[in-house]
Amino acid sequence: DTLMLTGECDGIYLGDRGLVLFDIKTPANESRSWPLQGAAYVYLARLAGYKISGIEFVKLNKEAKPAKVYEYEYEKNWDLFQKCFELHQYFFAKKKKGPLPL
């Protein structure tokens, strides 16, 4: 509520490395925004009490070929998400806010 962020991943599963957050995608190519979206999902999941240790985006194939899994790092992408969020607030938000809480 503080940051006015919303989002909903497709699921969370328990894997070898702990809880993994995943999202299913259908476009033809990987998007440069997916790592940032995943980091934002992890941020929200951690606020809700989930100890997420991995991010996976699963790109489905329209020709029924095997899906491709993209794994992303939270820390690196969270830093970039924060910078993007702060820039968005600087240029577009009516009320300026400080840095994002970790």
Side-chain angles (χ1 to χ4, degrees), residues 23-29 34 57-70:
D23 203 50
I24 298 171
K25 299 294 187 184
T26 57
N29 298 305
W34 292 355
F57 275 45
V58 181
K59 185 176 78 64
L60 302 179
N61 185 291
K62 294 178 184 180
E63 298 170 1
K65 293 179 182 175
K68 183 167 182 178
V69 177
Y70 296 88

Side-chain angles (χ1 to χ4, degrees), residues 4-6 18 26 30 32-33 44 46-47 54 56 58-59 63-64 76 83-84 86 89 92 96:
M4 304 293 288
L5 288 178
T6 62
T26 57
E30 176 186 19
R32 294 176 68 181
S33 67
L44 293 171
R46 287 181 176 177
L47 284 178
E56 294 179 354
V58 181
K59 185 176 78 64
E63 298 170 1
K76 179 176 98 175
K83 291 172 186 171
C84 292
E86 289 171 11
Q89 285 190 306
F92 302 108
K96 306 295 185 242

Side-chain angles (χ1 to χ4, degrees), residues 39-98:
Y41 284 162
V42 170
Y43 172 77
L44 293 171
R46 287 181 176 177
L47 284 178
Y50 294 94
K51 295 181 180 179
I52 304 296
S53 59
I55 304 168
E56 294 179 354
F57 275 45
V58 181
K59 185 176 78 64
L60 302 179
N61 185 291
K62 294 178 184 180
E63 298 170 1
K65 293 179 182 175
K68 183 167 182 178
V69 177
Y70 296 88
E71 295 183 34
Y72 303 113
E73 297 176 33
Y74 171 73
E75 287 77 16
K76 179 176 98 175
N77 292 303
W78 176 246
D79 289 342
L80 185 55
F81 176 86
Q82 284 182 296
K83 291 172 186 171
C84 292
F85 186 85
E86 289 171 11
L87 279 172
H88 179 271
Q89 285 190 306
Y90 178 81
F91 286 108
F92 302 108
K94 292 179 182 177
K95 182 179 178 185
K96 306 295 185 242
K97 297 178 183 172

